[in-house]
Amino acid sequence: MMLLCGLALTLSSCEDWLDVDSPSSRPVKDFYQTPVQAEQALLGVYNGLLPLPEYAVLMSDGRSDDVWTEPADDKQRDYVDISVFNPNIYTTSTLNDAWNDLYAIVARANLFLEKVQDLDFQLDEDVEVDVKSTFLAEARFLRAYAYFELVRYFGRVPVALHSLTADEAMTTPQSEPKDVYAQAIIPDLEYAVEHMQDVAYTCTGEEAEVGRATLPAAKALLGRVYVTMAGYPLNDTEKAELAKPLLKDVIDYADETGKYWAKDADEWRRIWISDNDNKYHIFEIQYVAEKNYGNPMVFLSVPNVGTDYVGIQMSGNRITCDTGLEELYEEYPSDVRYEATVDPEDRYFTKFFEHKIKRAELGYSDIDGQIVDRTYFPINYPLIRLEDVMLMYAELEGPTTEAVRLVNRIRTRAGLPELTDADKTEEAFQQRVDDERRRELAFEGIRWHDIVRHHTYIERIQEKFMRMAADETGTIIRPTDLNYVNNVQEGTYLYPIPDTQMKAKEGLYQQNEAYR
């Protein structure tokens, strides 16, 4: 019998679901006995994030107006079907894997919260922080992030805030998106904001190594949630006012501490080198050069390249920069982000491809010997960056002095001129903010969600297909691309519920309308 989405887990042993080394294979009921074990389990929840950049590339960027895809061979490829809005994508493994992996995070977090809630940490008297509360806050942050991705990709999804048996999972219906936010995402993030600190802690109350979620990450994510809810499809505009103080707090914290900001263009290029991991991102997925612990999207997004770039053979996929984004970069030849993001010749995205030539040009040693296979790329993947926070805040504020300052700060660092007076009308300013989001955050899984919440995804994607179907004279030379225009309809901002989930128990779930 196929269980639904990983909501129900047969937790016979700790190592059945934890991606961290366990001191034993004792049953779960015997595992959560000490703070050390609780910290191990928390890291297991974090490790559930490891596959998520793959879905950011395929299901967000690949669906957006920033990316153009071409079949690399005559084989069926998920990334092509997703990008052309194939209405039959409910059978693709990518969607099913995304659903399962996100719900695996939920299941791990649920179990952690249940087991740690009553655990006595018995810390030394000189430890001032409530470590248990910070641990619970981190788990709730991660659960909120998983549900946020689920509701943005799939819409009506089942909600479970405790561990479910198989029978319970088979009777848990979908919840409306507004209820997923109200019941799971917002309460979890509000708890995280209340109980997190500016740093994370070990089980003994010492400051943990960087890389785990902290108070700025919780505020930034809650701010992003409110920004999303204020746009399409919920259009809950009151949430915009709730987002502003959260985003401003993060910006002010970064200014006061000097964190997260690359001071000039050269330093910005160095963000995308693994030696600088944990330095510039508010929250990121951690990777190392070990088998199955590297960043999966690097191999996925790079075509076949020569050994002067990397010693292993890459995927050969053709996930490239669309001409619309290319033209936006080319408005300012001085923009250093262009060649740091896109290969100027083959137009694939190089931002996360830490190849030999890039490292040598930036003065870093060769790590190619560590890249044994596709699972070894060590570059971290940002889930929340300061620039994203700054631009969300500017979008909400409109052309105020502070918002203009923030946009100019990003532009001038990249080599662009400051905004002109003509850019400071409301309409023009919003366009400049949108342009900077595209240039600054390209290939970070953000663009698709932006055009959805602005409710411009239909016109933008249809225009992309029409542009690629015609030559410079307007003559249709690629009729297949023109046919894709008809695939982009109202409701395709969501993906279909994966077929495996629909068939697990007939009638339990209702398919999203665009795919019925």
Side-chain angles (χ1 to χ4, degrees):
M1 178 179 64
M2 183 176 297
L3 295 182
L4 291 166
C5 65
L7 275 173
L9 296 177
T10 304
L11 295 170
S12 58
S13 73
C14 133
E15 62 184 16
D16 282 339
W17 63 275
L18 289 177
D19 290 328
V20 293
D21 293 334
S22 170
S24 72
S25 58
R26 295 193 302 271
V28 166
K29 65 182 178 63
D30 296 329
F31 178 71
Y32 288 87
Q33 301 298 310
T34 68
V36 172
Q37 292 174 343
E39 187 168 4
Q40 275 191 297
L42 180 60
L43 296 179
V45 185
Y46 276 98
N47 278 358
L49 298 171
L50 293 177
L52 298 196
E54 181 173 336
Y55 312 128
V57 168
L58 298 182
M59 296 172 64
S60 180
D61 288 315
R63 195 84 151 171
S64 77
D65 55 345
D66 279 354
V67 169
W68 182 258
T69 64
E70 294 278 0
D73 49 38
D74 58 358
K75 296 180 181 178
Q76 186 274 336
R77 296 293 180 106
D78 283 8
Y79 75 88
V80 176
D81 286 336
I82 288 171
S83 69
V84 301
F85 287 69
N86 183 338
N88 299 315
I89 55 173
Y90 49 80
T91 61
T92 61
S93 60
T94 296
L95 299 192
N96 189 61
D97 290 347
W99 178 285
N100 286 336
D101 287 338
L102 288 166
Y103 271 113
I105 296 172
V106 171
R108 296 178 185 195
N110 284 344
L111 183 64
F112 177 88
L113 292 166
E114 292 160 4
K115 296 297 184 180
V116 175
Q117 182 63 56
D118 297 324
L119 181 63
D120 187 354
F121 274 54
Q122 296 180 333
L123 299 176
D124 294 339
E125 292 182 359
D126 60 345
V127 176
E128 298 180 357
V129 65
D130 183 349
V131 173
K132 184 168 78 171
S133 290
T134 67
F135 275 23
L136 296 175
E138 289 179 68
R140 294 186 68 167
F141 171 93
L142 295 169
R143 183 172 68 178
Y145 185 84
Y147 272 126
F148 185 43
E149 293 292 88
L150 284 162
V151 78
R152 290 197 295 177
Y153 283 135
F154 299 107
R156 298 175 67 245
V157 296
V159 172
L161 301 179
H162 64 276
S163 298
L164 301 183
T165 65
D167 289 341
E168 288 173 327
M170 290 294 182
T171 57
T172 301
Q174 295 158 292
S175 293
E176 293 295 330
K178 63 182 178 61
D179 295 325
V180 180
Y181 283 103
Q183 296 170 9
I185 299 171
I186 293 175
D188 276 355
L189 291 176
E190 288 178 336
Y191 183 93
V193 168
E194 182 179 352
H195 293 90
M196 279 182 170
Q197 306 292 326
D198 292 341
V199 298
Y201 294 91
T202 68
C203 60
T204 59
E206 299 173 342
E207 186 174 326
E209 293 184 2
V210 292
R212 284 163 49 187
T214 58
L215 179 58
K219 287 183 176 180
L221 182 55
L222 183 53
R224 181 187 285 174
V225 165
Y226 286 144
V227 169
T228 301
M229 296 179 73
Y232 183 82
L234 293 184
N235 297 315
D236 186 356
T237 55
E238 293 181 358
K239 292 295 192 293
E241 291 304 313
L242 298 178
K244 287 183 185 179
L246 291 163
L247 300 174
K248 190 62 165 62
D249 282 352
V250 176
I251 296 166
D252 289 346
Y253 173 79
D255 286 344
E256 292 166 4
T257 61
K259 291 184 176 181
Y260 314 131
W261 181 254
K263 66 180 182 297
D264 54 34
D266 183 64
E267 190 172 352
W268 190 90
R269 295 170 64 211
R270 297 170 189 275
I271 291 175
W272 317 107
I273 294 292
S274 58
D275 302 56
N276 296 312
D277 286 348
N278 305 309
K279 185 175 180 180
Y280 297 104
H281 306 323
I282 295 173
F283 183 61
E284 60 192 352
I285 303 175
Q286 306 287 294
Y287 294 101
V288 293
E290 294 181 18
K291 187 171 182 60
N292 299 322
Y293 282 88
N295 188 330
M297 57 82 68
V298 179
F299 175 85
L300 178 76
S301 60
V302 175
N304 289 324
V305 294
T307 54
D308 50 337
Y309 285 87
V310 65
I312 68 169
Q313 182 174 346
M314 300 302 283
S315 68
N317 290 343
R318 298 297 299 172
I319 301 174
T320 61
C321 179
D322 183 68
T323 56
L325 176 59
E326 190 174 36
E327 290 169 359
L328 188 66
Y329 277 124
E330 290 174 348
E331 285 183 17
Y332 297 99
S334 58
D335 192 340
V336 300
R337 295 170 298 187
Y338 186 12
E339 289 194 10
T341 303
V342 180
D343 181 88
E345 182 175 347
D346 294 327
R347 297 177 47 238
Y348 66 91
F349 290 88
T350 61
K351 180 180 277 186
F352 294 97
F353 184 24
E354 194 177 3
H355 52 73
K356 292 187 282 188
I357 296 174
K358 177 193 288 190
R359 288 186 63 90
E361 288 178 345
L362 294 176
Y364 292 92
S365 61
D366 184 1
I367 62 168
D368 193 56
Q370 301 175 39
I371 313 299
V372 179
D373 65 32
R374 60 182 294 177
T375 70
Y376 277 76
F377 288 98
I379 187 73
N380 287 0
Y381 191 83
L383 297 182
I384 305 171
R385 281 215 286 137
L386 176 62
E387 292 84 348
D388 181 19
V389 172
M390 293 164 65
L391 291 168
M392 283 191 290
Y393 181 78
E395 179 182 320
L396 296 177
E397 276 285 280
T400 63
T401 299
E402 175 63 4
V404 169
R405 181 187 73 84
L406 293 173
V407 176
N408 281 336
R409 190 179 179 195
I410 292 171
R411 286 172 62 92
T412 56
R413 180 184 62 181
L416 276 62
E418 291 189 347
L419 298 176
T420 66
D421 289 341
D423 294 322
K424 297 175 186 177
T425 65
E426 180 65 32
E427 183 178 356
F429 181 75
Q430 292 299 335
Q431 184 61 58
R432 297 292 85 73
V433 171
D434 187 64
D435 290 346
E436 285 313 306
R437 288 184 67 78
R438 292 186 76 181
R439 295 185 184 106
E440 178 69 29
L441 305 171
F443 219 55
E444 295 178 40
I446 289 173
R447 180 59 181 172
W448 171 248
H449 300 301
D450 277 354
I451 62 176
V452 167
R453 66 186 175 83
H454 290 148
H455 202 197
T456 57
Y457 72 96
I458 294 177
E459 61 188 87
R460 287 184 178 276
I461 305 305
Q462 286 184 342
E463 192 278 331
K464 177 179 77 170
F465 289 139
M466 289 188 289
R467 183 179 66 250
M468 294 301 293
D471 62 16
E472 294 179 355
T473 68
T475 303
I476 301 300
I477 57 174
R478 297 170 53 140
T480 299
D481 293 341
L482 187 63
N483 291 336
Y484 294 147
V485 170
N486 297 323
N487 291 344
V488 189
Q489 302 292 333
E490 197 71 53
T492 53
Y493 69 92
L494 293 176
Y495 285 94
I497 307 299
D499 193 51
T500 52
Q501 307 306 319
M502 294 297 297
K503 291 180 178 178
K505 183 178 180 181
E506 296 290 344
L508 178 60
Y509 294 164
Q510 185 178 45
Q511 185 57 274
N512 289 325
E513 186 173 357
Y515 305 94
R516 295 175 190 170

